[in-house]
């Protein structure tokens, strides 16, 4: 019965790496009814209040892109629909009909501030992960280019040594004369 009192908020992810940073997402209710379906989104948020008990399924799909593998970040927020002080309960009355004490209001303010801090931390972790993926890709490309340049320099060096030796070798076939 706790499903009736819960809400589901899926931050339908942000594609961290791969392809054009887009992905398909859908969410199904326990009776296989489609609650949410979006195609080729880079970032999206979906809020849904559950109205029936059971398992809700969600899927991130990359069917339209057969070559690019993608990494998706998503956040699943399961909790009470409203944890705000003064929010109405089932009887229609406020959760706290009386005035809050200074301690209760301070605790509520700290709670909301900490929730905001967690959101900021998740945002910065996501941005750091995206930056790291880009930096690792760039590092791999630079390393491959450097290896190619090194191989090319070694081939040119051996070619120059061969040409210089051939230039100053005694020509045996022309009667032993060097030069013109």
């Amino acid at each position: 019965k706790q499903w009736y009192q819960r809400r589901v908020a899926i931050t339908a992810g942000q594609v961290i790496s791969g392809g054009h940073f887009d992905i398909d997402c859908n969410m199904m209710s326990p009776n296989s009814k489609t609650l949410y379906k979006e195609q080729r989104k880079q970032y999206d948020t979906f809020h849904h209040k559950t109205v029936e008990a059971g398992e809700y399924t969600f899927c991130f799909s990359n069917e339209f892109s057969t070559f690019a593998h993608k990494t998706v970040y998503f956040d699943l927020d399961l909790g009470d629909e409203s944890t705000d002080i003064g929010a109405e309960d089932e009887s229609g009355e406020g959760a706290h009909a009386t005035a809050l004490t200074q301690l209760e209001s301070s605790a509520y303010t700290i709670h909301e501030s900490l929730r905001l801090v967690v959101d900021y931390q998740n945002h910065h972790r996501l941005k750091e992960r995206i930056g790291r993926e880009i930096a690792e890709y760039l590092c791999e490309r630079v390393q491959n280019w450097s290896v190619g340049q090194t191989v090319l320099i070694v081939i040119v060096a051996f070619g120059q040594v061969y040409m210089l030796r051939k230039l100053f070798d005694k020509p045996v076939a022309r009667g032993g004369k060097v030069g013109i």
Side-chain angles (χ1 to χ4, degrees):
K1 297 293 179 184
Q2 65 182 351
W3 281 99
Y4 292 115
Q5 301 169 357
R6 302 273 181 174
R7 71 177 165 88
V8 177
I10 298 176
T11 303
Q14 183 169 353
V15 180
I16 296 174
S17 66
H20 293 289
F21 296 101
D22 55 352
I23 200 160
D24 298 341
C25 179
N26 61 16
M27 183 173 177
M28 307 277 287
S29 68
N31 63 2
S32 299
K33 179 182 172 190
T34 300
L35 301 173
Y36 173 79
K37 185 172 187 170
E38 288 293 329
Q39 294 182 338
R40 297 191 179 206
K41 285 282 200 169
Q42 287 183 327
Y43 179 83
D44 200 12
T45 301
F46 171 70
H47 299 281
H48 174 72
K49 181 180 178 186
T50 57
V51 292
E52 56 187 287
E55 291 185 10
Y56 287 77
T57 59
F58 58 94
C59 175
F60 296 102
S61 173
N62 192 27
E63 290 179 350
F64 58 87
S65 177
T66 57
F67 296 111
H69 299 285
K70 298 180 181 176
T71 304
V72 178
Y73 169 84
F74 69 95
D75 187 21
L76 197 59
D77 182 20
L78 303 172
D80 294 333
E81 180 179 353
S82 180
T83 57
D84 295 341
I85 294 179
E88 293 187 2
D89 57 10
E90 292 175 0
S91 64
E93 296 180 8
H96 291 283
T98 61
L100 298 176
T101 65
Q102 186 176 4
L103 181 63
E104 287 175 329
S105 62
S106 295
Y108 179 73
T109 303
I110 290 170
H111 172 74
E112 290 301 314
S113 297
L114 288 176
R115 186 185 304 178
L116 185 63
V117 167
V118 168
D119 288 342
Y120 283 145
Q121 285 178 336
N122 285 338
H123 173 75
H124 288 295
R125 284 183 187 131
L126 180 61
K127 292 296 182 185
E128 187 271 335
R129 176 70 191 256
I130 291 170
R132 183 172 187 85
E133 290 285 335
I134 291 169
E136 287 178 357
Y137 176 72
L138 183 62
C139 179
E140 180 182 342
R141 297 276 308 249
V142 167
Q143 188 174 17
N144 290 341
W145 181 258
S146 298
V147 167
Q149 289 292 317
T150 303
V151 168
L152 185 64
I153 288 172
V154 169
I155 290 172
V156 167
F158 279 120
Q160 287 179 349
V161 168
Y162 174 75
M163 293 302 288
L164 281 172
R165 284 189 167 206
K166 187 176 178 185
L167 183 65
F168 292 110
D169 277 348
K170 286 186 178 179
V172 179
R174 287 189 280 165
K177 294 185 179 179
V178 179
I180 309 179

